[in-house]
Amino acid sequence: MKIGELARATDTKVETIRYYEGAGLLAPPPRTGGNYRSYGSDELSRLSFIRRARDLGFSLDEVRELLTLADDRDQPCGAVDAVASSHLATIERKIADLAQMRDELARVIGSCRLGKVGDCKIIQTLEPMRGAARG
Amino acid sequence: MKIGELARATDTKVETIRYYEGAGLLAPPPRTGGNYRSYGSDELSRLSFIRRARDLGFSLDEVRELLTLADDRDQPCGAVDAVASSHLATIERKIADLAQMRDELARVIGSCRLGKVGDCKIIQTLEPMRGAARG
DNA sequence: CTTGACCCTATAGTTGCTAGAGGGTGCATA
DNA sequence: TATGCACCCTCTAGCAACTATAGGGTCAAG
Ligand SMILES: [Zn+2]
Ligand SMILES: [Zn+2]
Ligand SMILES: [Zn+2]
Ligand SMILES: [Zn+2]
């Protein structure tokens, strides 16, 4: 399998595959006589794993860790759970931060009466000190 | 006001202020004899504006635009509203994406019985084809 | 006159790709 | 055989928005 086929099979760009190789997520595959990368089904599985993990928002570091953990099939899976749970906590924190942004932004936008810039509540929220501490 | 004071007054790192200058968000201020940047209250206001906008998640491009719009105090504020509303939509899209990640990840984590890695539902979710299309 | 806090520039690193330059390979076809 | 084309190769630079380092200069206090 050439890199383009692997790319199509996993919905990944060719450059991204080469990038994963450089980043140590995919081992350098054997090459053909013409120096083309040659992949088998193992690499297809591994890249699918990576892509699914990325879709769930795991960082490349976390993916690397999950891949390593996944190889010791007889180990307890507590470490896997730890990575996933800590990532879930990160996502929840991000959502909370964004929700706060959204609420404040919606409030500010809602208070705009579409008049002049000088009277716009959006602008006034951003520069609450104009005319105040001016020396 | 030296850059360090401005940094403390706006809860910004010194390097970030210099970065904003390079990025065209802050004009290059006058310098002292010793080549130190020297700021006044205008720059304090402007940097406060930038920081507040960044806290609301606006990109630097959007901040630049908002700053420009804010200077024409007599113009109608429709353009301001447009920037803010489109940014709000972006945030809401981000939240929706993250919420989907969170739900799926929580589901997957919830189905783990803390056994061996080979039986872990988290791992199995990521590599659903092991043993299937092999050979 | 030296210490120390602060300032300066310029450059590289971060994350996860993406895009381009400038070339080589391999197969079909005229 | 020559040409075209799709595909592949490496290397480098670019994106956002900083952050961090190296290697210096400035200034007030002791
Ligand atoms: Zn994570
Ligand atoms: Zn308005
Ligand atoms: Zn935005
Ligand atoms: Zn498990």
Side-chain angles (χ1 to χ4, degrees):
Chain A
M1 204 186 207
K2 283 190 286 181
I3 198 170
E5 301 172 67
L6 180 62
R8 278 187 295 279
T10 56
D11 196 26
T12 308
K13 299 202 172 167
V14 166
E15 298 80 19
T16 304
I17 297 177
R18 287 196 283 249
Y19 172 77
Y20 286 163
E21 183 181 324
L25 287 156
L26 293 172
R31 300 291 181 113
T32 68
N35 199 30
Y36 286 12
R37 285 173 180 81
S38 175
Y39 297 99
S41 58
D42 278 5
E43 282 95 345
L44 177 59
S45 297
R46 193 174 173 90
L47 181 52
S48 301
F49 185 110
I50 295 170
R51 292 258 101 194
R52 260 181 275 267
R54 293 288 300 129
D55 284 346
L56 287 173
F58 287 102
S59 71
L60 293 190
D61 270 357
E62 287 165 336
V63 176
R64 243 185 301 268
E65 208 176 334
L66 289 173
L67 282 166
T68 305
L69 291 169
D71 276 344
D72 277 337
R73 321 289 294 173
D74 290 332
Q75 287 293 114
C77 73
V80 173
D81 273 49
V83 171
S85 298
S86 128
H87 177 58
L88 177 58
T90 301
I91 290 180
E92 280 170 343
R93 235 176 297 119
K94 251 181 223 167
I95 291 177
D97 289 351
L98 285 171
Q100 206 178 332
M101 268 186 206
R102 178 201 52 200
D103 293 347
E104 173 142 9
L105 196 52
R107 191 178 57 68
V108 169
I109 292 173
S111 69
C112 162
R113 296 282 154 260
L114 281 174
K116 295 195 172 175
V117 167
D119 306 319
C120 179
K121 288 288 197 268
I122 300 173
I123 295 295
Q124 284 172 13
T125 298
L126 292 169
E127 54 180 18
M129 47 199 324
R130 189 177 282 244
R134 293 291 288 284
Chain B
M1 205 188 211
K2 283 188 287 181
I3 198 170
E5 301 171 66
L6 180 62
R8 276 187 296 279
T10 57
D11 196 24
T12 307
K13 298 202 174 169
V14 166
E15 297 81 16
T16 303
I17 298 177
R18 288 197 282 247
Y19 171 77
Y20 287 162
E21 183 181 325
L25 288 155
L26 293 172
R31 301 289 182 116
T32 67
N35 199 31
Y36 287 12
R37 287 173 180 81
S38 175
Y39 298 100
S41 58
D42 279 4
E43 282 95 343
L44 176 59
S45 297
R46 193 174 172 91
L47 182 52
S48 301
F49 185 111
I50 295 170
R51 292 258 99 196
R52 259 181 275 267
R54 294 288 301 127
D55 285 347
L56 287 173
F58 288 102
S59 70
L60 292 192
D61 270 357
E62 288 165 337
V63 175
R64 243 184 300 266
E65 208 177 334
L66 290 173
L67 282 166
T68 304
L69 291 169
D71 276 343
D72 276 338
R73 322 288 296 173
D74 290 332
Q75 288 292 115
C77 73
V80 174
D81 273 50
V83 171
S85 298
S86 127
H87 177 59
L88 176 58
T90 301
I91 290 181
E92 280 171 342
R93 237 176 296 119
K94 250 180 222 169
I95 291 177
D97 289 353
L98 285 171
Q100 206 178 334
M101 265 186 206
R102 177 201 52 200
D103 292 347
E104 173 142 10
L105 196 53
R107 191 178 57 68
V108 169
I109 292 173
S111 68
C112 161
R113 296 281 154 261
L114 281 174
K116 295 194 171 176
V117 166
D119 306 318
C120 178
K121 289 287 196 268
I122 301 173
I123 295 296
Q124 285 172 13
T125 298
L126 293 170
E127 55 181 18
M129 48 200 323
R130 189 178 280 244
R134 290 295 287 285

